[in-house]
Amino acid sequence: MTFFTAVVVFVVGLLSGIVVRLIAGLAAAFALVLVLLGATTPDIGLVNFVLEQYYQGNELLFLAGLLFGLDAENTKDAVEG
């Protein structure tokens, strides 16, 4: 994995964490509806390409970005204070 790929995966995780933190309830309800409809893994070429090329094998890096995004405000307070 190149440095650029690692940065992109982390940034995507970070942005995902920020979005999830902002609209977590809506995201959970939407995910539940998708599961009930059986549409959790749509067959979209671009999504499949991104998952196969960048996400698989980089789950921990994505998770690190996601968790950092979820806790960004507390981290900012800890660093500043």
Coordinates of all heavy atoms in Angstrom, one line a residue:
M1 N 0.8 -1.2 0.0 CA 0.0 0.0 0.0 C 0.9 1.2 0.0 O 1.9 1.3 0.8 CB -0.9 0.0 1.2 CG -1.6 1.3 1.5 SD -2.8 1.4 2.9 CE -2.4 0.1 4.0
T2 N 0.5 2.2 -0.8 CA 1.3 3.4 -0.9 C 0.9 4.4 0.2 O -0.2 4.2 0.8 CB 1.1 4.1 -2.2 OG1 -0.2 4.5 -2.4 CG2 1.5 3.2 -3.4
F3 N 1.7 5.3 0.5 CA 1.4 6.3 1.5 C 0.2 7.1 1.1 O -0.7 7.3 2.0 CB 2.6 7.3 1.6 CG 2.4 8.4 2.6 CD1 2.3 8.1 4.0 CD2 2.1 9.7 2.2 CE1 2.1 9.1 4.9 CE2 1.9 10.7 3.1 CZ 1.9 10.4 4.5
F4 N 0.0 7.4 -0.2 CA -1.2 8.1 -0.6 C -2.4 7.3 -0.4 O -3.4 7.9 0.1 CB -1.1 8.5 -2.1 CG -2.2 9.2 -2.6 CD1 -2.5 10.5 -2.3 CD2 -3.1 8.5 -3.5 CE1 -3.6 11.2 -2.8 CE2 -4.3 9.2 -4.0 CZ -4.5 10.5 -3.6
T5 N -2.4 6.0 -0.6 CA -3.6 5.2 -0.4 C -3.9 5.1 1.1 O -5.1 5.2 1.5 CB -3.3 3.7 -0.9 OG1 -3.0 3.8 -2.3 CG2 -4.5 2.9 -0.7
A6 N -2.9 5.0 1.9 CA -3.1 5.0 3.4 C -3.8 6.3 3.8 O -4.7 6.3 4.6 CB -1.8 4.8 4.1
V7 N -3.3 7.4 3.3 CA -3.9 8.7 3.7 C -5.3 8.8 3.2 O -6.2 9.3 4.0 CB -3.0 9.9 3.1 CG1 -3.7 11.2 3.3 CG2 -1.7 9.9 3.8
V8 N -5.6 8.4 2.0 CA -7.0 8.5 1.5 C -7.9 7.6 2.3 O -9.0 8.0 2.7 CB -7.0 8.1 0.0 CG1 -8.4 7.8 -0.5 CG2 -6.3 9.1 -0.9
V9 N -7.5 6.4 2.6 CA -8.3 5.5 3.4 C -8.6 6.1 4.8 O -9.7 6.1 5.3 CB -7.7 4.1 3.5 CG1 -8.4 3.2 4.6 CG2 -7.7 3.4 2.2
F10 N -7.6 6.6 5.4 CA -7.7 7.3 6.7 C -8.7 8.5 6.7 O -9.6 8.6 7.5 CB -6.4 7.7 7.3 CG -6.5 8.3 8.7 CD1 -6.6 7.5 9.8 CD2 -6.5 9.7 8.8 CE1 -6.7 8.0 11.1 CE2 -6.6 10.2 10.1 CZ -6.7 9.4 11.2
V11 N -8.5 9.3 5.6 CA -9.4 10.5 5.5 C -10.8 10.1 5.2 O -11.7 10.7 5.8 CB -8.8 11.4 4.4 CG1 -9.8 12.5 4.0 CG2 -7.5 12.0 4.8
V12 N -11.0 9.1 4.4 CA -12.4 8.6 4.2 C -13.0 8.1 5.5 O -14.1 8.4 5.8 CB -12.4 7.5 3.1 CG1 -13.8 6.8 3.1 CG2 -12.1 8.1 1.8
G13 N -12.2 7.4 6.3 CA -12.7 6.9 7.6 C -13.0 8.1 8.5 O -14.0 8.1 9.2
L14 N -12.1 9.1 8.5 CA -12.3 10.3 9.3 C -13.6 11.0 8.9 O -14.4 11.4 9.8 CB -11.1 11.2 9.2 CG -11.2 12.6 9.8 CD1 -11.3 12.4 11.4 CD2 -10.1 13.5 9.4
L15 N -13.8 11.2 7.7 CA -15.0 11.9 7.2 C -16.3 11.1 7.5 O -17.3 11.6 7.9 CB -14.9 12.2 5.7 CG -13.9 13.2 5.3 CD1 -13.8 13.3 3.8 CD2 -14.1 14.5 5.9
S16 N -16.1 9.8 7.4 CA -17.3 8.9 7.7 C -17.6 9.0 9.2 O -18.8 9.0 9.6 CB -16.9 7.4 7.4 OG -16.7 7.3 6.0
G17 N -16.6 9.1 10.1 CA -16.8 9.2 11.5 C -17.5 10.6 11.8 O -18.4 10.6 12.6
I18 N -17.1 11.6 11.1 CA -17.7 12.9 11.4 C -19.2 12.9 10.9 O -20.1 13.4 11.7 CB -16.9 14.0 10.6 CG1 -15.6 14.2 11.3 CG2 -17.7 15.3 10.6 CD1 -14.6 15.1 10.6
V19 N -19.5 12.3 9.8 CA -20.8 12.2 9.3 C -21.7 11.4 10.2 O -22.8 11.7 10.5 CB -20.8 11.7 7.8 CG1 -22.2 11.3 7.4 CG2 -20.2 12.7 6.9
V20 N -21.1 10.2 10.6 CA -21.9 9.3 11.5 C -22.2 10.0 12.8 O -23.3 9.9 13.3 CB -21.1 8.0 11.7 CG1 -21.8 7.2 12.8 CG2 -21.1 7.2 10.4
R21 N -21.2 10.7 13.3 CA -21.5 11.4 14.6 C -22.6 12.5 14.5 O -23.4 12.6 15.3 CB -20.2 12.1 15.0 CG -20.3 12.8 16.4 CD -19.0 13.5 16.7 NE -18.6 14.3 15.5 CZ -17.7 15.2 15.5 NH1 -17.2 15.6 16.6 NH2 -17.4 15.8 14.4
L22 N -22.6 13.1 13.3 CA -23.6 14.2 13.1 C -25.0 13.6 12.9 O -26.0 14.2 13.3 CB -23.2 15.1 11.9 CG -22.0 15.9 12.1 CD1 -21.6 16.6 10.8 CD2 -22.1 16.9 13.3
I23 N -25.1 12.5 12.2 CA -26.5 12.0 11.9 C -26.6 10.5 12.2 O -27.1 9.7 11.4 CB -26.8 12.2 10.4 CG1 -25.7 11.7 9.5 CG2 -27.0 13.7 10.1 CD1 -26.1 11.6 8.0
A24 N -26.1 10.1 13.4 CA -26.0 8.7 13.7 C -27.4 8.1 13.8 O -27.6 6.9 13.3 CB -25.3 8.6 15.1
G25 N -28.4 8.7 14.3 CA -29.7 8.1 14.4 C -30.3 7.9 13.0 O -30.9 6.8 12.8
L26 N -30.2 8.9 12.2 CA -30.7 8.7 10.8 C -30.0 7.6 10.1 O -30.6 6.8 9.4 CB -30.6 10.1 10.1 CG -31.1 10.1 8.6 CD1 -32.6 9.8 8.6 CD2 -30.8 11.5 8.0
A27 N -28.7 7.6 10.3 CA -27.9 6.5 9.6 C -28.3 5.2 10.1 O -28.3 4.2 9.3 CB -26.4 6.8 9.8
A28 N -28.5 5.0 11.4 CA -28.9 3.7 11.9 C -30.3 3.3 11.4 O -30.5 2.1 11.0 CB -28.9 3.8 13.5
A29 N -31.2 4.2 11.3 CA -32.5 3.9 10.8 C -32.5 3.5 9.3 O -33.1 2.5 8.9 CB -33.5 5.1 11.0
F30 N -31.7 4.2 8.6 CA -31.5 3.9 7.1 C -30.8 2.6 6.9 O -31.3 1.8 6.1 CB -30.7 5.0 6.5 CG -30.5 4.9 5.0 CD1 -31.6 5.1 4.2 CD2 -29.3 4.6 4.4 CE1 -31.5 4.9 2.8 CE2 -29.1 4.5 3.1 CZ -30.3 4.7 2.3
A31 N -29.8 2.3 7.8 CA -29.2 1.0 7.7 C -30.2 -0.2 8.0 O -30.1 -1.2 7.3 CB -28.0 0.9 8.6
L32 N -31.0 0.0 9.0 CA -32.0 -1.0 9.3 C -33.0 -1.2 8.2 O -33.3 -2.4 7.9 CB -32.7 -0.6 10.6 CG -33.8 -1.5 11.1 CD1 -33.2 -2.9 11.4 CD2 -34.6 -0.9 12.3
V33 N -33.4 -0.2 7.6 CA -34.3 -0.3 6.4 C -33.6 -1.0 5.3 O -34.2 -1.9 4.6 CB -34.8 1.1 5.9 CG1 -35.5 1.0 4.6 CG2 -35.7 1.7 7.0
L34 N -32.4 -0.7 5.0 CA -31.6 -1.4 4.0 C -31.5 -2.9 4.3 O -31.6 -3.8 3.4 CB -30.2 -0.8 3.8 CG -30.2 0.5 3.1 CD1 -28.8 1.0 3.0 CD2 -30.8 0.4 1.7
V35 N -31.2 -3.3 5.5 CA -31.1 -4.7 5.9 C -32.4 -5.4 5.7 O -32.5 -6.5 5.2 CB -30.6 -4.8 7.4 CG1 -30.8 -6.2 7.9 CG2 -29.2 -4.4 7.5
L36 N -33.5 -4.7 6.1 CA -34.8 -5.3 6.0 C -35.2 -5.5 4.5 O -35.9 -6.5 4.2 CB -35.9 -4.5 6.7 CG -35.8 -4.5 8.3 CD1 -36.8 -3.5 8.8 CD2 -35.9 -5.8 8.8
L37 N -34.8 -4.6 3.7 CA -35.1 -4.7 2.2 C -34.1 -5.7 1.5 O -34.3 -6.0 0.4 CB -35.1 -3.4 1.6 CG -36.2 -2.4 2.1 CD1 -36.0 -1.0 1.4 CD2 -37.5 -2.9 1.8
G38 N -33.1 -6.1 2.2 CA -32.1 -6.9 1.6 C -31.2 -6.2 0.6 O -30.6 -6.8 -0.3
A39 N -31.0 -4.9 0.7 CA -30.3 -4.1 -0.2 C -29.0 -3.6 0.5 O -28.6 -2.4 0.2 CB -31.1 -2.9 -0.7
T40 N -28.4 -4.4 1.3 CA -27.2 -3.9 2.0 C -25.9 -3.8 1.2 O -25.0 -3.1 1.5 CB -26.9 -4.7 3.3 OG1 -26.8 -6.1 2.9 CG2 -28.1 -4.6 4.3
T41 N -25.9 -4.6 0.2 CA -24.7 -4.6 -0.7 C -25.2 -4.4 -2.2 O -25.3 -5.4 -2.9 CB -23.9 -5.9 -0.6 OG1 -24.8 -7.0 -0.8 CG2 -23.3 -6.1 0.8
P42 N -25.4 -3.2 -2.5 CA -25.9 -3.0 -3.9 C -24.8 -3.3 -4.9 O -23.6 -3.1 -4.6 CB -26.2 -1.5 -3.9 CG -25.4 -0.9 -2.8 CD -25.3 -2.0 -1.8
D43 N -25.2 -3.8 -6.1 CA -24.2 -4.1 -7.1 C -23.9 -2.9 -8.0 O -24.4 -2.8 -9.1 CB -24.7 -5.3 -7.9 CG -23.7 -5.9 -8.8 OD1 -22.5 -5.7 -8.5 OD2 -24.0 -6.5 -9.8
I44 N -23.1 -2.0 -7.4 CA -22.7 -0.8 -8.2 C -21.2 -1.0 -8.5 O -20.4 -1.2 -7.6 CB -23.0 0.4 -7.3 CG1 -24.5 0.5 -7.0 CG2 -22.5 1.7 -8.0 CD1 -24.8 1.6 -6.0
G45 N -20.9 -0.8 -9.7 CA -19.5 -1.0 -10.2 C -18.5 -0.2 -9.4 O -17.5 -0.7 -9.0
L46 N -18.8 1.1 -9.2 CA -17.8 2.0 -8.6 C -17.6 1.5 -7.1 O -16.5 1.5 -6.6 CB -18.3 3.4 -8.7 CG -17.4 4.4 -8.0 CD1 -16.0 4.4 -8.6 CD2 -18.0 5.8 -8.1
V47 N -18.7 1.2 -6.4 CA -18.6 0.8 -5.0 C -17.8 -0.5 -4.9 O -16.9 -0.6 -4.1 CB -20.0 0.6 -4.4 CG1 -19.9 0.0 -3.0 CG2 -20.8 1.9 -4.4
N48 N -18.1 -1.4 -5.8 CA -17.3 -2.7 -5.8 C -15.9 -2.5 -6.0 O -15.0 -3.1 -5.4 CB -17.9 -3.7 -6.8 CG -19.3 -4.2 -6.3 OD1 -19.6 -4.2 -5.2 ND2 -20.1 -4.6 -7.3
F49 N -15.6 -1.6 -7.0 CA -14.2 -1.3 -7.3 C -13.4 -0.7 -6.1 O -12.3 -1.1 -5.8 CB -14.1 -0.3 -8.5 CG -12.7 0.1 -8.8 CD1 -11.8 -0.7 -9.5 CD2 -12.3 1.4 -8.5 CE1 -10.5 -0.3 -9.8 CE2 -11.0 1.8 -8.7 CZ -10.1 1.0 -9.4
V50 N -14.1 0.3 -5.5 CA -13.4 0.9 -4.3 C -13.2 -0.1 -3.2 O -12.2 -0.2 -2.6 CB -14.2 2.1 -3.9 CG1 -13.8 2.6 -2.5 CG2 -14.2 3.2 -4.9
L51 N -14.2 -0.9 -2.9 CA -14.1 -1.9 -1.9 C -13.0 -2.9 -2.2 O -12.2 -3.3 -1.3 CB -15.4 -2.7 -1.7 CG -16.6 -1.9 -1.0 CD1 -17.8 -2.8 -1.0 CD2 -16.2 -1.5 0.4
E52 N -12.9 -3.4 -3.4 CA -11.9 -4.4 -3.7 C -10.5 -3.8 -3.8 O -9.5 -4.4 -3.4 CB -12.2 -5.0 -5.1 CG -13.5 -5.9 -5.0 CD -13.9 -6.4 -6.4 OE1 -13.3 -6.0 -7.4 OE2 -15.0 -7.0 -6.4
Q53 N -10.4 -2.6 -4.3 CA -9.0 -2.0 -4.5 C -8.5 -1.4 -3.3 O -7.2 -1.4 -3.0 CB -9.1 -0.9 -5.6 CG -9.4 -1.5 -7.0 CD -8.2 -2.4 -7.5 OE1 -8.4 -3.6 -7.6 NE2 -7.1 -1.8 -7.7
Y54 N -9.3 -0.7 -2.5 CA -8.7 0.1 -1.4 C -9.2 -0.4 0.0 O -8.4 -0.3 1.0 CB -9.1 1.6 -1.6 CG -8.6 2.1 -2.8 CD1 -9.5 2.4 -3.9 CD2 -7.3 2.4 -3.0 CE1 -9.0 2.8 -5.1 CE2 -6.8 2.8 -4.2 CZ -7.6 3.1 -5.3 OH -7.1 3.5 -6.4
Y55 N -10.4 -0.8 0.2 CA -10.9 -1.1 1.5 C -10.4 -2.4 2.0 O -10.0 -2.5 3.2 CB -12.4 -1.0 1.6 CG -13.0 -1.2 2.9 CD1 -12.8 -0.2 3.9 CD2 -13.6 -2.4 3.3 CE1 -13.3 -0.4 5.2 CE2 -14.1 -2.6 4.6 CZ -14.0 -1.6 5.5 OH -14.4 -1.8 6.8
Q56 N -10.5 -3.5 1.2 CA -10.2 -4.8 1.7 C -8.7 -4.8 2.1 O -7.8 -4.5 1.3 CB -10.5 -5.8 0.6 CG -11.9 -6.1 0.4 CD -12.3 -7.1 -0.6 OE1 -11.4 -7.5 -1.4 NE2 -13.5 -7.6 -0.6
G57 N -8.4 -5.2 3.3 CA -7.1 -5.3 3.8 C -6.7 -4.0 4.6 O -5.7 -3.9 5.3
N58 N -7.5 -3.0 4.5 CA -7.3 -1.7 5.1 C -8.4 -1.4 6.1 O -8.6 -0.2 6.5 CB -7.2 -0.6 4.1 CG -6.1 -0.8 3.1 OD1 -5.0 -1.2 3.5 ND2 -6.3 -0.5 1.9
E59 N -9.1 -2.4 6.6 CA -10.2 -2.2 7.5 C -9.8 -1.4 8.8 O -10.5 -0.6 9.3 CB -10.9 -3.5 7.9 CG -11.6 -4.1 6.7 CD -10.7 -5.1 5.9 OE1 -9.5 -5.1 6.2 OE2 -11.2 -5.8 5.0
L60 N -8.6 -1.8 9.3 CA -8.2 -1.2 10.6 C -7.8 0.3 10.4 O -8.1 1.1 11.3 CB -7.0 -2.0 11.2 CG -7.3 -3.4 11.7 CD1 -6.0 -4.0 12.2 CD2 -8.3 -3.3 12.8
L61 N -7.2 0.6 9.2 CA -6.9 2.0 9.0 C -8.2 2.8 8.8 O -8.3 3.9 9.3 CB -6.1 2.1 7.7 CG -5.5 3.4 7.3 CD1 -4.7 4.0 8.5 CD2 -4.7 3.3 6.1
F62 N -9.2 2.2 8.1 CA -10.5 2.9 8.0 C -11.1 3.1 9.4 O -11.6 4.2 9.7 CB -11.4 2.1 7.1 CG -12.8 2.7 7.0 CD1 -13.0 3.7 6.1 CD2 -13.8 2.2 7.7 CE1 -14.3 4.3 6.0 CE2 -15.1 2.7 7.6 CZ -15.3 3.8 6.8
L63 N -11.1 2.0 10.2 CA -11.7 2.1 11.5 C -11.0 3.1 12.4 O -11.6 3.9 13.1 CB -11.6 0.7 12.2 CG -12.3 0.6 13.5 CD1 -13.7 0.9 13.4 CD2 -12.1 -0.8 14.1
A64 N -9.7 3.3 12.2 CA -8.9 4.3 13.0 C -9.4 5.7 12.6 O -9.7 6.5 13.5 CB -7.4 4.2 12.7
G65 N -9.6 5.9 11.3 CA -10.1 7.2 10.9 C -11.5 7.4 11.3 O -11.9 8.5 11.8
L66 N -12.4 6.4 11.3 CA -13.8 6.5 11.7 C -13.8 6.8 13.2 O -14.6 7.8 13.6 CB -14.5 5.1 11.4 CG -15.9 5.1 11.9 CD1 -16.8 5.9 11.0 CD2 -16.4 3.6 12.0
L67 N -13.1 6.1 14.0 CA -13.1 6.4 15.4 C -12.5 7.8 15.8 O -13.1 8.5 16.7 CB -12.4 5.3 16.2 CG -13.0 3.9 16.1 CD1 -12.1 2.9 16.8 CD2 -14.4 3.9 16.7
F68 N -11.5 8.2 15.1 CA -11.0 9.5 15.3 C -12.0 10.6 14.9 O -12.2 11.6 15.6 CB -9.7 9.7 14.5 CG -9.0 11.0 14.8 CD1 -8.2 11.1 15.9 CD2 -9.1 12.1 13.9 CE1 -7.6 12.3 16.2 CE2 -8.5 13.3 14.2 CZ -7.7 13.4 15.3
G69 N -12.7 10.3 13.8 CA -13.8 11.3 13.4 C -14.9 11.3 14.4 O -15.5 12.4 14.7
L70 N -15.3 10.2 15.0 CA -16.3 10.2 16.0 C -15.9 10.9 17.3 O -16.7 11.5 17.9 CB -16.7 8.7 16.4 CG -17.4 7.9 15.3 CD1 -17.6 6.5 15.7 CD2 -18.8 8.6 15.1
D71 N -14.6 10.9 17.6 CA -14.1 11.4 18.9 C -13.4 12.7 18.6 O -12.6 13.2 19.5 CB -13.3 10.4 19.6 CG -13.0 10.8 21.0 OD1 -14.0 11.3 21.7 OD2 -11.9 10.6 21.5
A72 N -13.5 13.3 17.5 CA -12.7 14.5 17.1 C -12.9 15.7 18.1 O -11.9 16.3 18.4 CB -13.0 14.9 15.7
E73 N -14.1 15.9 18.5 CA -14.3 17.0 19.4 C -13.7 16.8 20.7 O -13.0 17.7 21.3 CB -15.8 17.3 19.5 CG -16.1 18.6 20.2 CD -17.4 19.2 19.7 OE1 -17.7 19.0 18.5 OE2 -18.1 19.8 20.6
N74 N -13.8 15.6 21.3 CA -13.1 15.3 22.6 C -11.6 15.4 22.4 O -10.9 15.8 23.4 CB -13.6 14.0 23.1 CG -15.0 14.0 23.5 OD1 -15.6 15.0 23.8 ND2 -15.6 12.8 23.5
T75 N -11.1 14.9 21.3 CA -9.7 15.0 21.1 C -9.2 16.4 21.0 O -8.2 16.7 21.6 CB -9.3 14.2 19.8 OG1 -9.8 12.9 19.9 CG2 -7.8 14.2 19.6
K76 N -9.9 17.2 20.3 CA -9.6 18.6 20.2 C -9.5 19.3 21.6 O -8.6 20.0 21.9 CB -10.6 19.4 19.3 CG -10.3 20.8 19.1 CD -11.3 21.5 18.2 CE -11.1 22.9 18.1 NZ -12.1 23.6 17.3
D77 N -10.5 19.0 22.5 CA -10.5 19.5 23.8 C -9.3 19.0 24.6 O -8.7 19.8 25.4 CB -11.8 19.2 24.5 CG -13.0 19.9 23.9 OD1 -12.9 20.9 23.2 OD2 -14.2 19.4 24.2
A78 N -9.0 17.8 24.5 CA -7.9 17.2 25.2 C -6.5 17.8 24.8 O -5.7 18.0 25.6 CB -7.8 15.7 25.1
V79 N -6.4 18.1 23.5 CA -5.2 18.6 23.0 C -5.0 20.1 23.4 O -3.9 20.5 23.7 CB -5.1 18.4 21.4 CG1 -3.9 19.2 20.8 CG2 -5.0 16.9 21.1
E80 N -6.1 20.8 23.3 CA -6.0 22.2 23.6 C -5.9 22.5 25.1 O -5.3 23.5 25.5 CB -7.3 23.0 23.1 CG -7.3 23.1 21.6 CD -8.5 23.7 21.0 OE1 -9.5 24.0 21.8 OE2 -8.6 24.0 19.8
G81 N -6.6 21.7 25.9 CA -6.7 22.0 27.3 C -5.6 21.2 28.1 O -5.1 21.4 29.0

